[in-house]
């Protein structure tokens, strides 16, 4: 029969001594960090030595809380141990499975007769096992850890001293199991922490506060980041300060001082020099550990490598600066072009009234030359700010390089060799030919000026394919086919600092009077506005290589324009509607067109022009309008005028194109754009060519 027995007292005369010896032996093994299996086996053996015929067994409950596994049973047959290993606990699972399930002791006097063993007696009886008393092994929190059991080879009831012994054995087993599991959990936690620390993309450390404070720990990432082993770092307390960039020492020292005075968190960003000379940015964050004894506070912290972040931050700052300067440059160029327009028109009128022999004629010519130079500067400003008026055509770069090569050779001294190499199968590209030729000339002139003692300039073009997005100088290009144009020289080269500024407007390394600092800025703007990007590779004394990447175009290249046709007469008798918000330009342009025979209607803005067009009962043949005006821009005016005078052609004037030029020719086929400043003769010829062009085409 089975009974749930309550532990009671009743010891033989020497049971107290036996229990004391048992406690001492087991606890010593636990303190000596002996393996759990050995501790449990020793516990069983010492009890079996004291009580003849008694066989002890310890089963451990799995983490699933339902399966018993072998722990120790030096006196049981191996076949029996294997048979009961992995038994699931339950209300009728022998002595041990039932004790673990009920969470209370179970005494089975006769295995052959007890119902709890009905499904398991066939395992025990062949080995002569007849009685089994089992006690749950419980943790301090009351959770079942396993069972401690005593077997006898004949049916019998436990004596009082047996019950005391089983109870003490279960307590000792609980102590051993909990100690072992705590130790295993601690080791696992340490392993996880070490794995985490060693896999972090950062350096973790523990060190005393202070410049010469000792370093107790530094994670191995320090070797991959800075080139020093953890052992090197810990052995030399001064290595930290020696590696900090000299310009950032004050930042680190100020953070140290703040920690020592206030106990606040350590926070600082500074540069460190790696063993191989690389300079890396780090964010250092640490906290004082109050529980660590010692003469100095101990800081636990993390050094994050933020080099890439700083690089991106600098690129963003540079891009924002370039954008701000570009907007300023575009606005200045727009107003400046209007002023140049007035100066050029009046200069042209003065020259028409003077003979070439007149002393004032040469003065007028010089004024015109100054206007041309100023106009060139404003065009470079507009190119940099990407507000330049481009007229892109699908071109074959081989023919462009062939033509521009002849101009370049005239610019180079005899001690500079020029080599032009363009692949035969270049993709077509869509660019403004004149502006791109100017970009090539700017790069070549810079290369020439970098080789005072002579050298070699190589201009090459070849196809490139990018399968991933590429970025150069804050400009990204999408995957696809590109044509790369490279201008390489063997000159003096540039350092990293110079390279970071070469595309800024007005930045130049040339002597005063030998450069405006707008050449490369305009190249940058033209390339970006054309959908491409530019990169630079250079080292001091090793030359420079500028590479322009232009997106390939699937259309066929345009034929060369016929420049041999005779100039048409500029006069006429058609009606022209002239719209310009700048009164000086409006007056002089209107007067010039009237002198040529045209009927000219003038308006200061788009709204006034629409009212004038509605009230005019004759046909308006041509609209000449500024692109950017208050209230109504040139594009909107052209669209609305088409509703009133459907056949009117359009000639836009632009200081810079603004967003109104987007898709301009999609909606207005009979339209041309004239870039300010321009002469009155050019205005007259443009107007005449538009008026003479067939409907639906542009000259």
């Amino acid at each position: 029969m089975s009974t749930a027995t309550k532990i009671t007292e009743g010891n033989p005369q020497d049971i107290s001594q036996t229990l004391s010896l048992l406690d001492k032996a087991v606890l010593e093994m636990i303190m000596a960090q002996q393996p759990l299996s050995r501790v449990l086996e020793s516990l069983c053996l010492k009890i079996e030595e004291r009580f003849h015929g008694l066989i002890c067994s310890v089963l451990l409950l799995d983490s699933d809380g339902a399966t018993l596994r072998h722990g120790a049973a030096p006196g049981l047959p191996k076949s029996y141990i294997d048979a009961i290993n992995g038994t699931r606990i339950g209300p009728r699972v022998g002595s041990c499975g039932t004790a673990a399930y009920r969470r209370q002791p179970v005494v089975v006097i006769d295995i052959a007769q007890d119902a709890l063993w009905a499904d398991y007696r066939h395992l025990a009886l062949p080995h002569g096992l007849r009685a089994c008393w089992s006690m749950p092994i419980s943790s301090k929190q009351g959770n079942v850890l396993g069972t401690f059991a005593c077997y006898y080879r004949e049916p019998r009831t436990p004596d009082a001293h047996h019950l005391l012994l089983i109870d003490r054995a279960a307590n000792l087993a609980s102590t051993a199991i909990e100690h072992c599991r705590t130790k295993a959990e601690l080791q696992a936690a340490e392993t996880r922490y070490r794995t985490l620390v060693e896999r972090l993309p950062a350096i973790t450390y523990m060190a005393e506060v202070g410049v010469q404070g000792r370093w107790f720990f530094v994670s191995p990432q320090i070797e991959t980041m800075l080139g020093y082993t953890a052992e090197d770092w810990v052995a030399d307390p001064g290595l930290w300060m020696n590696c900090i960039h000299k310009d950032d020492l004050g930042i680190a020292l100020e953070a140290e001082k703040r920690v020592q005075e206030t106990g606040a968190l350590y926070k600082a960003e500074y540069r460190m020099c790696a063993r191989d000379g690389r300079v890396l940015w780090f964010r250092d964050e640490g906290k004082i550990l109050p529980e660590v004894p010692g003469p100095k506070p101990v800081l636990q912290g993390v050094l994050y490598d933020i080099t890439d972040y700083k690089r991106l931050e600098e690129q963003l700052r540079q891009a924002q600066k370039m954008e701000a300067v570009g907007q300023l440059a575009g606005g200045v160029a727009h107003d400046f072009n209007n002023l140049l327009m007035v100066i050029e028109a009046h200069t042209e009128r003065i020259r028409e009234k003077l003979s070439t022999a007149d002393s004032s004629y040469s003065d007028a010519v010089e004024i015109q030359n100054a206007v041309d130079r100023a106009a060139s500067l404003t065009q470079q400003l507009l190119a940099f700010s990407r507000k330049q008026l481009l007229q892109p055509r699908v071109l074959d770069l081989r023919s462009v390089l062939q033509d521009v090569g002849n101009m370049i050779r005239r610019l180079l001294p005899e001690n500079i060799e020029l080599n032009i190499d363009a692949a035969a199968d270049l993709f077509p590209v869509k660019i403004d030919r004149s502006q791109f030729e100017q970009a090539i000339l700017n790069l070549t002139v810079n290369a020439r000026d970098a080789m005072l003692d002579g050298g070699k300039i190589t201009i090459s073009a070849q196809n490139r394919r990018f399968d991933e997005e590429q970025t150069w100088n804050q400009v990204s290009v999408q995957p696809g086919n590109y044509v790369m144009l490279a201008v390489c020289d063997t000159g003096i080269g540039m350092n990293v600092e110079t390279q970071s500024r070469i595309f800024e407007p007005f930045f130049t390394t040339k002597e005063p009077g030998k450069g405006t600092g707008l050449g490369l800025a305009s190249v940058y703007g033209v390339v970006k506005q054309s959908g491409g990007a530019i990169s630079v590779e250079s080292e001091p004394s090793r030359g420079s290589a500028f590479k322009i990447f232009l997106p390939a175009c699937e259309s066929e290249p345009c034929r060369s324009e016929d420049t041999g046709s005779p100039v048409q007469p500029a006069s006429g008798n058609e009606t022209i509607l002239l719209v310009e918000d700048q009164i000086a330009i409006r007056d002089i342009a209107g007067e010039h067109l009237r002198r040529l025979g045209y009927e000219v209607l003038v308006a200061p803005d788009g709204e006034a022009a629409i009212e004038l067009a509605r009230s005019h009962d004759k046909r308006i043949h041509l609209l000449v309008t500024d692109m950017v005006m208050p209230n109504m821009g040139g594009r909107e005016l052209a669209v609305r005028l088409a509703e009133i005078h459907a056949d009117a052609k359009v000639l836009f004037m632009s200081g810079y194109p603004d967003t109104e030029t987007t898709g301009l020719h999609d909606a207005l086929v009979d339209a041309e754009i004239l870039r300010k400043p321009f002469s009155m003769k050019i205005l007259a010829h443009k107007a005449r060519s538009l008026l003479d062009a067939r409907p639906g085409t542009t000259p």
Side-chain angles (χ1 to χ4, degrees):
M1 84 186 222
S2 63
T3 57
T5 307
K6 184 178 181 181
I7 304 296
T8 59
E9 296 183 5
N11 301 333
Q13 208 168 31
D14 60 348
I15 189 65
S16 178
Q17 181 182 3
T18 299
L19 295 176
S20 296
L21 292 173
L22 189 61
D23 288 349
K24 183 176 183 295
V26 173
L27 292 175
E28 284 179 351
M29 292 187 72
I30 292 174
M31 295 303 295
Q33 305 293 329
Q34 293 291 324
L36 177 63
S37 59
R38 187 174 299 175
V39 175
L40 297 178
E41 183 174 327
S42 178
L43 173 65
C44 294
L45 288 172
K46 289 187 179 301
I47 295 174
E48 290 173 356
E49 288 173 3
R50 178 65 181 171
F51 297 95
H52 180 71
L54 185 145
I55 304 172
C56 296
S57 168
V58 178
L59 294 175
L60 303 176
L61 192 64
D62 265 357
S63 58
D64 63 2
T67 307
L68 290 170
R69 300 288 181 186
H70 172 68
L76 287 177
K78 185 177 184 304
S79 58
Y80 178 72
I81 292 172
D82 293 340
I84 65 172
N85 189 34
T87 300
R88 305 277 292 183
I89 66 174
R92 299 169 61 87
V93 184
S95 301
C96 296
T98 305
Y101 181 79
R102 294 181 181 179
R103 295 174 176 265
Q104 61 185 29
V106 171
V107 174
V108 173
I109 297 172
D110 188 353
I111 292 174
Q113 302 298 323
D114 200 294
L116 296 182
W117 281 84
D119 296 331
Y120 298 93
R121 62 172 59 101
H122 67 283
L123 301 175
L125 294 178
H127 298 290
L129 303 176
R130 294 297 300 274
C132 183
W133 321 321
S134 185
M135 168 76 76
I137 301 172
S138 300
S139 68
K140 293 177 181 178
Q141 291 76 30
N143 300 318
V144 176
L145 303 175
T147 60
F148 182 85
C150 291
Y151 290 88
Y152 267 98
R153 296 189 182 278
E154 67 271 356
R156 64 171 295 171
T157 303
D159 297 329
H161 63 272
H162 283 135
L163 298 177
L164 283 175
L165 185 67
I166 294 172
D167 182 53
R168 182 62 61 84
N171 286 332
L172 289 171
S174 172
T175 301
I177 293 169
E178 286 202 286
H179 175 80
C180 178
R181 290 186 176 178
T182 301
K183 179 183 175 183
E185 289 172 0
L186 180 61
Q187 289 176 339
E190 289 178 349
T191 300
R192 288 194 299 271
Y193 177 75
R194 184 180 299 107
T195 301
L196 174 64
V197 165
E198 292 180 357
R199 289 182 180 178
L200 277 175
I203 301 168
T204 56
Y205 66 86
M206 285 181 62
E208 287 180 337
V209 175
V211 174
Q212 292 297 323
R214 293 174 298 167
W215 287 70
F216 301 111
F217 168 79
V218 63
S219 61
Q221 291 93 323
I222 196 165
E223 186 167 4
T224 56
M225 291 185 183
L226 291 172
Y228 297 94
T229 66
E231 291 76 15
D232 293 337
W233 204 266
V234 172
D236 185 359
L239 196 52
W240 173 54
M241 293 302 293
N242 291 336
C243 286
I244 295 178
H245 194 284
K246 59 182 178 61
D247 294 339
D248 296 345
L249 279 173
I251 298 173
L253 292 174
E254 181 61 30
E256 282 273 326
K257 181 181 178 182
R258 186 171 59 252
V259 168
Q260 294 184 70
E261 292 177 350
T262 66
L265 295 177
Y266 184 95
K267 287 186 177 182
E269 291 184 1
Y270 51 79
R271 288 165 292 176
M272 296 185 76
C273 301
R275 200 167 202 162
D276 59 4
R278 290 176 298 117
V279 177
L280 305 176
W281 271 99
F282 285 93
R283 179 186 296 119
D284 193 349
E285 297 180 354
K287 181 181 181 181
I288 290 177
L289 300 177
E291 67 277 8
V292 178
K296 295 182 179 179
V298 175
L299 198 68
Q300 183 177 42
V302 183
L303 280 163
Y304 302 96
D305 182 353
I306 59 171
T307 306
D308 290 340
Y309 169 79
K310 284 289 187 180
R311 186 179 295 114
L312 291 173
E313 187 179 58
E314 179 59 30
Q315 288 177 354
L316 176 61
R317 186 183 299 111
Q318 182 73 2
Q320 290 173 335
K321 181 173 68 174
M322 297 275 275
E323 187 66 27
V325 173
Q327 291 178 357
L328 175 63
V332 169
H334 173 249
D335 294 337
F336 198 48
N337 275 336
N338 281 329
L339 294 174
L340 292 175
M341 178 88 185
V342 175
I343 296 172
E344 177 158 7
H346 284 286
T347 303
E348 186 177 355
R349 180 186 293 180
I350 292 172
R351 286 167 56 197
E352 289 175 352
K353 295 178 180 179
L354 297 174
S355 69
T356 56
D358 195 306
S359 60
S360 297
Y361 186 85
S362 60
D363 294 336
V365 171
E366 285 303 315
I367 294 174
Q368 181 62 51
N369 292 338
V371 168
D372 292 341
R373 290 194 297 271
S376 176
L377 288 176
T378 58
Q379 290 307 315
Q380 290 183 74
L381 280 172
L382 287 170
F384 162 73
S385 60
R386 302 183 306 282
K387 295 182 182 295
Q388 169 128 268
L389 182 60
L390 297 182
Q391 297 179 349
R393 300 285 188 272
V394 180
L395 300 174
D396 175 13
L397 272 188
R398 284 177 59 86
S399 64
V400 175
L401 289 178
Q402 183 178 356
D403 292 343
V404 80
N406 297 326
M407 290 187 286
I408 291 173
R409 287 185 173 87
R410 291 196 293 268
L411 297 174
L412 301 180
E414 294 182 356
N415 61 351
I416 293 181
E417 176 187 350
L418 175 65
N419 181 33
I420 298 179
D421 180 19
D425 59 344
L426 287 180
F427 298 126
V429 293
K430 190 172 185 179
I431 53 175
D432 183 307
R433 177 164 183 151
S434 64
Q435 293 302 315
F436 194 68
E437 286 179 348
Q438 186 61 50
I440 298 173
L441 287 173
N442 286 341
L443 292 175
T444 307
V445 168
N446 279 352
R448 178 200 66 187
D449 294 344
M451 297 184 294
L452 298 179
D453 298 326
K456 181 179 181 180
I457 297 176
T458 301
I459 302 176
S460 60
Q462 55 186 273
N463 295 329
R464 282 290 182 89
R465 169 76 187 178
F466 297 125
D467 295 324
E468 296 179 353
E469 183 179 270
Q470 306 291 320
T471 301
W472 298 279
N473 296 295
Q474 296 89 50
V475 179
S476 298
V477 296
Q478 299 303 311
N481 293 323
Y482 289 81
V483 175
M484 182 195 75
L485 176 82
V487 179
C488 307
D489 65 65
T490 58
I492 59 176
M494 296 175 284
N495 57 30
V496 175
E497 183 178 356
T498 301
Q499 291 180 55
S500 68
R501 300 191 60 193
I502 54 174
F503 296 115
E504 294 181 15
F506 310 114
F507 174 78
T508 180
T509 58
K510 298 179 181 179
E511 298 177 7
K514 292 190 176 181
T516 63
L518 288 173
L520 288 177
S522 65
V523 173
Y524 176 90
V526 167
V527 171
K528 186 171 182 180
Q529 195 174 350
S530 301
I534 183 170
S535 72
V536 59
E537 301 169 8
S538 184
E539 291 182 29
S541 304
R542 300 287 295 274
S544 301
F546 287 85
K547 296 179 181 178
I548 295 173
F549 300 90
L550 296 172
C553 181
E554 296 181 358
S555 303
E556 289 297 319
C558 297
R559 297 177 182 176
S560 300
E561 297 181 2
D562 183 11
T563 59
S565 57
V567 177
Q568 300 160 315
S571 59
N573 56 9
E574 291 90 345
T575 301
I576 297 176
L577 174 58
L578 173 64
V579 188
E580 168 63 64
D581 60 321
Q582 298 290 323
I583 186 171
I585 298 176
R586 187 169 69 242
D587 289 348
I588 198 166
E591 180 184 344
H592 186 80
L593 292 172
R594 288 190 188 96
R595 290 208 316 265
L596 294 174
Y598 297 103
E599 180 182 356
V600 181
L601 308 176
V602 295
D605 56 47
E607 292 180 350
I610 292 296
E611 291 299 321
L612 186 58
R614 284 179 179 151
S615 63
H616 189 69
D617 55 0
K618 296 181 181 179
R619 176 186 174 189
I620 294 178
H621 299 84
L622 175 66
L623 168 67
V624 179
T625 178
D626 192 15
M627 199 61 144
V628 181
M629 296 181 295
N631 302 322
M632 185 188 299
R635 179 188 174 119
E636 183 182 353
L637 169 60
V639 172
R640 291 184 60 180
L641 181 66
E643 298 171 358
I644 305 170
H645 296 272
D647 297 332
K649 298 179 180 180
V650 181
L651 177 59
F652 289 106
M653 303 178 292
S654 176
Y656 68 94
D658 196 26
T659 55
E660 287 204 0
T661 58
T662 304
L664 184 65
H665 292 288
D666 296 339
L668 303 168
V669 177
D670 297 332
E672 270 287 341
I673 305 173
L674 195 56
R675 183 189 303 144
K676 293 180 180 178
F678 50 81
S679 69
M680 291 299 100
K681 288 182 179 179
I682 291 177
L683 170 63
H685 284 294
K686 275 285 186 182
R688 187 68 261 162
S689 63
L690 260 175
L691 290 167
D692 291 341
R694 295 189 306 275
T697 64
T698 55

